[in-house]
């Protein structure tokens, strides 16, 4: 395990799979937004649908629906772009650091974390769980707050143990970005 973690074939496959899933979701959201926008506009233009109040105002309710549709699309766009940035950070860490096996990562259900899952990295069998400053936040790129239970029984870590890093199941799959809690 001395070479960079991104050179590991399963890790590279897991990263590519996560990136493909995000790009597919982003493309689908864009297609659905464009299709809904065009469909509503065309149907209104041909008089197939008439919105209440469209006789008095040019596109009153339709404009509101399209504005809400645009707002929802922008929210999805921000979420997916943020996830793609997370994947880019994960790749940078994986290219710079080797995998290091650790005993596991323990989820902390008592703590709340707005950006991910609060965890404690267990580096060896005598890891002390009472230290509050050792808690970290882990989040997946595709499923931000999903926690694989198998990570509690063994995991691989790349990066700084006190700072930014990547956590994965043994074999380099199910990648999660890890950083200290704020």
């Amino acid at each position: 395990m001395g070479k960079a973690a991104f050179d590991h074939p399963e890790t590279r496959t897991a990263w590519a799979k996560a990136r493909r899933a995000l790009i597919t979701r982003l493309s689908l959201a864009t297609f659905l937004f464009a299709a809904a926008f065009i469909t509503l506009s065309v149907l209104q233009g041909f008089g197939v649908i008439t919105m209440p109040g469209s006789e008095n105002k040019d596109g009153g309710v339709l404009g509101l629906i399209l504005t809400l549709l645009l707002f929802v699309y922008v929210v999805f766009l921000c979420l997916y772009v943020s996830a793609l940035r997370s994947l880019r950070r994960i790749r940078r860490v994986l290219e710079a650091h080797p995998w290091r096996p650790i005993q596991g990562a323990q989820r902390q259900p008592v703590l709340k974390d707005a950006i991910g899952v609060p965890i404690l990295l267990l580096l060896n069998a005598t890891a002390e769980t009472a230290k509050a400053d050792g808690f970290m936040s882990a989040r997946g790129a595709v499923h931000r707050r999903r926690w694989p239970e198998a990570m509690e029984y063994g995991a691989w870590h790349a990066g700084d143990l006190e700072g930014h890093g990547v956590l994965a199941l043994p074999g380099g799959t199910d990648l999660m970005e890890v950083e200290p809690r704020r």
Side-chain angles (χ1 to χ4, degrees):
M1 285 199 184
K3 59 183 181 176
F6 199 69
D7 294 338
H8 192 262
E10 286 86 3
T11 302
R12 189 180 295 261
T13 302
W15 184 86
K17 182 180 175 185
R19 184 172 186 272
R20 199 170 32 254
L22 286 173
I23 290 175
T24 301
R25 290 179 182 190
L26 180 59
S27 300
L28 181 63
T30 301
F31 174 75
L32 290 176
F33 169 73
F37 184 83
I38 291 170
T39 301
L40 287 173
S41 299
V42 167
L43 291 177
Q44 175 72 16
F46 284 126
V48 174
I49 59 170
T50 54
M51 297 291 187
S54 62
E55 307 86 33
N56 303 336
K57 299 177 189 168
D58 199 24
V61 175
L62 182 65
L64 178 64
I65 291 171
L66 292 176
T67 302
L68 289 174
L69 189 64
L70 178 65
F71 176 74
V72 169
Y73 173 69
V74 168
V75 168
F76 276 106
L77 186 66
C78 289
L79 290 174
Y80 291 135
V81 167
S82 171
L84 285 170
R85 288 174 137 175
S86 175
L87 269 178
R88 189 175 343 143
R89 287 190 301 268
I90 286 173
R91 182 174 178 155
R92 270 193 248 129
V93 169
L94 292 175
E95 288 175 338
H97 299 281
W99 281 125
R100 176 178 32 235
I102 62 173
Q103 182 185 358
Q106 190 176 53
R107 182 176 186 193
Q108 303 298 311
V110 177
L111 299 175
K112 300 296 180 204
D113 197 336
I115 60 171
V117 178
I119 63 166
L120 181 65
L121 294 178
L122 302 174
L123 305 177
N124 54 32
T126 61
E128 186 177 317
T129 60
K131 289 177 28 178
D133 61 344
F135 293 121
M136 304 190 81
S137 178
R139 64 186 167 278
V142 179
H143 306 286
R144 304 294 272 177
R145 299 182 56 87
R146 186 179 62 87
W147 177 250
E149 296 293 326
M151 280 201 193
E152 297 194 13
Y153 306 108
W156 286 2
H157 184 272
D160 297 331
L161 291 174
E162 299 85 27
H164 197 76
V166 176
L167 194 62
L169 288 173
T173 60
D174 214 351
L175 303 173
M176 298 187 83
E177 185 178 16
V178 179
E179 65 182 27
R181 289 190 70 214
R182 296 179 199 157

